[in-house]
Amino acid sequence: MKRRSFFKTGALGGSVLAISGIAACTAENTATQTDIDLTDFDLNEVTVSALQQKMEAGELSSETICKKYLERIEKVDPFLRSVIELNPDALEIARQMDEERKNNKVRGLLHGIPIMIKDNIDTGDKMMTTAGSLALSGNVVDKDAFIVTKLREAGAVLLGKTNLSEWANFRSNNSSSGWSGRGGQVRNPFCLDRSPCGSSSGTGAAVSANLCTIGIGTETNGSIVCPSGINGLVGIKPTLGLWSRQGIIPIAHSQDTAGPMCRNVSDAAILLGALAASDPNDAETHIEKAEFPTDYTPFLKADGLQGKRIGIASQMIPDNAKVKALFARAIADLKAQGAEVIEDVKFENNRKWGGPSYQVLLYEFKADLNKYLSEHPTAPSRTMAEIIEFNKNNADKEMPWFGQEIFELAQEKGDLNSEEYLEALKNSKLYAGKEGIDKVMEEHNLDAIIAQTNGPAWTIDWVNGDHFSGGSSSPAAISGYPNITVPMGFVEGLPIGISFFGKAWSEPKLIEIAFAYEQATKHRKAPGFIKSLME
């Protein structure tokens, strides 16, 4: 590949299998280049279904699979800093799943499958839940998040937790996606001096680099779809309420949701269904409840684009000529698979939802985080105010590059009975939902709306922070509606995704569309760990 060199590494001294965590990264202790190719791995791009077939045939056991991933983490992750902590019980869980299989008890398609989850999701085990912050170091909880309970019931093996943009990228306007005080800087496996996008950056990098089979991220606005798109993955941001948020460190209950981040639509659909369940303890979703499937595999249809009407969100078309060319090719591919594409679909209120949504996030962040901390007695910091003070007292570790002005703005807000909050909540949902996605889909009789997920990954910059290169997450994120991103191709070797979004609870239709597009194009490829595009 012209102007580019592969980045390679040797094994670390000592075994990562013997420790329960991975130390935080600093600029001074990043791994160095040697002659071992990071692209070489016998489970590269393996799917959930393929692993199930190998376990059923006796070719592999869950324990063996997990050991392979742990060995790969030891070799690869010093370059990525995508894993913040390993589960010391992972191999024991895998052995239990193997024993159940020997006794003809297979719980489902996730039985024995290794998964990584973001470090803002509670696990009632030996691992911490910190949102990447040193202020929560030592927060070992006694109860699984609802979705983790569902994962364990399904037989998945929790391999570890992933690094993230600290506090899910809601601390500073000048933050660097993927940086946390506890975990250091996550890097993009396609090009190591480029951003992995936030906030589910660690999950995006780990899944893309084949450090696990599947992963889970969380999103308030873009934090599943952007790191999925920029790391060459399929990401599903579900309808608000499809997955429970109980036991997840929050930003805002009216927008937060966890969701699958996988290398293909099939795996994402399997994971989506396994964790879809009503939870009476979940926060109010502000969306009318609906019946939903708990198995999305019937919607994996190769002809799923036939007869579909798809609208182009023309206001979100990027300025980058190379991304425009990819998007034009994607439109041609959609048409070739039988879709009718409607040009120039516009949101009349696209400038009206952002401001109210930001106010909602500030209010809910203070209320929801304080509630989470009050329910977690092991958390060293008990309130948002205490976290702000902790960061000031530990500024050399927590704020070496950017501050906490978002925390400080949120702390100044009143409670959720405030007239300003209630008005902002009403307007943000109205303009993004009923007068946004719902309106344009009804006007044009659409099955889905499309836009590019991301622009090319930008260079990591701790001084100036992120400089995003395009996105389309806001209408689906603010309304609480579903959004699926699929690899659309590459610009100078950097992955670009295409997003399919629609009305609330339309996951089945979106999966049909996304799967058919994926199968017709197959743009996903494993990363090459290029050191820099400048070499």
Side-chain angles (χ1 to χ4, degrees):
M1 300 175 71
K2 64 179 182 179
R3 298 187 294 109
R4 304 168 193 178
S5 60
F6 285 107
F7 206 104
K8 304 172 184 180
T9 179
L12 295 178
S15 174
V16 77
L17 309 184
I19 61 175
S20 62
I22 293 180
C25 173
T26 68
E28 290 77 29
N29 68 0
T30 51
T32 55
Q33 185 173 358
T34 65
D35 58 355
I36 299 176
D37 189 352
L38 298 184
T39 64
D40 182 25
F41 182 48
D42 60 350
L43 295 182
N44 261 350
E45 304 299 287
V46 69
T47 65
V48 167
S49 296
L51 286 180
Q52 288 297 344
Q53 292 171 7
K54 290 181 181 295
M55 287 188 285
E56 189 63 29
E59 297 175 23
L60 287 173
S61 66
S62 178
E63 182 181 4
T64 299
I65 293 166
C66 289
K67 283 181 177 178
K68 287 177 179 288
Y69 280 123
L70 289 169
E71 289 166 0
R72 179 158 176 77
I73 289 166
E74 180 181 20
K75 182 174 78 169
V76 174
D77 202 60
F79 291 95
L80 298 179
R81 310 309 307 180
S82 66
V83 181
I84 205 165
E85 188 167 0
L86 291 174
N87 184 2
D89 298 324
L91 295 182
E92 178 56 33
I93 296 169
R95 285 190 284 268
Q96 292 173 6
M97 294 304 103
D98 289 335
E99 189 63 28
E100 287 187 10
R101 189 181 293 274
K102 288 177 185 177
N103 293 323
N104 296 316
K105 179 184 178 183
V106 177
R107 303 185 186 194
L109 290 174
L110 294 184
H111 189 105
I113 299 296
I115 185 170
M116 293 278 228
I117 68 173
K118 190 174 177 179
D119 179 40
N120 60 350
I121 303 172
D122 285 349
T123 55
D125 51 25
K126 297 170 186 173
M127 292 187 290
M128 293 186 284
T129 304
T130 70
S133 172
L134 296 174
L136 289 190
S137 182
N139 183 37
V140 178
V141 307
D142 60 3
K143 181 183 177 182
D144 284 336
F146 184 93
I147 60 171
V148 174
T149 298
K150 296 290 291 182
L151 272 179
R152 297 193 199 276
E153 290 173 353
V157 180
L158 183 51
L159 204 60
K161 292 191 174 182
T162 54
N163 197 4
L164 69 159
S165 308
E166 187 175 305
W167 295 111
N169 225 13
F170 206 63
R171 200 191 86 184
S172 170
N173 294 319
N174 297 314
S175 63
S176 171
S177 284
W179 186 93
S180 72
R182 182 179 172 216
Q185 177 67 58
V186 182
R187 295 178 179 274
N188 191 311
F190 284 88
C191 185
L192 295 169
D193 66 353
R194 300 263 163 175
S195 176
C197 200
S199 67
S200 305
S201 47
T203 304
V207 175
S208 186
N210 288 278
L211 305 189
C212 54
T213 311
I214 51 178
I216 292 176
T218 66
E219 174 165 331
T220 306
N221 190 338
S223 288
I224 288 173
V225 294
C226 183
S228 293
I230 222 162
N231 287 285
L233 297 178
V234 172
I236 301 181
K237 199 284 292 185
T239 302
L240 206 65
L242 183 63
W243 278 18
S244 168
R245 285 84 51 82
Q246 182 273 321
I248 301 176
I249 297 175
I251 291 179
H253 62 264
S254 65
Q255 288 185 208
D256 289 350
T257 182
M261 297 174 67
C262 303
R263 291 185 292 271
N264 58 80
V265 177
S266 298
D267 287 357
I270 290 168
L271 181 55
L272 182 69
L275 275 59
S278 296
D279 175 11
N281 296 316
D282 190 8
E284 183 181 1
T285 65
H286 302 274
I287 293 181
E288 184 178 349
K289 290 290 184 182
E291 295 296 323
F292 48 78
T294 55
D295 179 5
Y296 289 88
T297 58
F299 306 107
L300 299 171
K301 300 177 180 179
D303 62 351
L305 279 164
Q306 286 288 336
K308 296 291 195 301
R309 286 177 58 86
I310 298 174
I312 300 171
S314 58
Q315 293 151 312
M316 299 176 182
I317 294 175
D319 293 330
N320 186 304
K322 294 177 181 178
V323 178
K324 281 185 178 179
L326 283 185
F327 194 65
R329 187 175 73 183
I331 293 169
D333 290 334
L334 293 169
K335 291 178 178 178
Q337 294 303 309
E340 182 180 358
V341 178
I342 290 76
E343 307 278 347
D344 202 22
V345 170
K346 290 185 177 179
F347 295 100
E348 293 179 6
N349 299 302
N350 68 308
R351 296 185 181 276
K352 295 182 179 180
W353 59 52
S357 173
Y358 184 60
Q359 292 304 312
V360 169
L361 267 54
L362 292 174
Y363 273 97
E364 292 188 2
F365 188 34
K366 178 182 178 181
D368 294 354
L369 181 57
N370 283 338
K371 182 176 185 292
Y372 173 90
L373 294 171
S374 72
E375 295 170 349
H376 289 72
T378 61
S381 297
R382 310 298 302 140
T383 64
M384 175 176 280
E386 287 187 16
I387 292 167
I388 291 171
E389 193 63 24
F390 176 93
N391 290 341
K392 289 178 179 177
N393 293 335
N394 296 273
D396 58 332
K397 297 177 181 177
E398 274 293 348
M399 299 193 292
W401 302 107
F402 51 88
Q404 56 177 344
E405 63 272 14
I406 293 176
F407 263 78
E408 291 165 347
L409 286 171
Q411 179 61 25
E412 293 173 359
K413 294 296 184 183
D415 62 27
L416 299 188
N417 295 313
S418 163
E419 184 177 339
E420 181 185 42
Y421 165 72
L422 294 172
E423 184 71 10
L425 178 63
K426 180 187 74 173
N427 288 336
S428 63
K429 295 299 180 185
L430 175 67
Y431 294 135
K434 292 186 182 301
E435 294 296 319
I437 291 174
D438 290 341
K439 184 177 181 180
V440 300
M441 292 190 72
E442 289 162 7
E443 285 180 351
H444 297 280
N445 190 27
L446 301 177
D447 294 294
I449 302 170
I450 59 170
Q452 95 290 347
T453 305
N454 59 285
W458 55 94
T459 49
I460 293 168
D461 185 346
W462 293 338
V463 176
N464 299 299
D466 290 331
H467 38 100
F468 289 98
S469 52
S472 58
S473 63
S474 286
I478 296 169
S479 63
Y481 292 0
N483 191 0
I484 302 179
T485 181
V486 178
M488 184 171 69
F490 297 84
V491 169
E492 296 297 326
L494 302 172
I496 309 294
I498 182 171
S499 286
F500 302 92
F501 56 98
K503 290 185 175 183
W505 314 108
S506 63
E507 283 87 351
K509 189 174 290 185
L510 295 180
I511 287 171
E512 288 183 357
I513 292 168
F515 181 74
Y517 174 77
E518 175 197 57
Q519 293 302 298
T521 58
K522 295 188 176 180
H523 289 300
R524 162 68 192 178
K525 68 179 180 181
F529 303 92
I530 305 303
K531 185 177 180 181
S532 174
L533 296 184
M534 303 304 292
E535 295 190 2

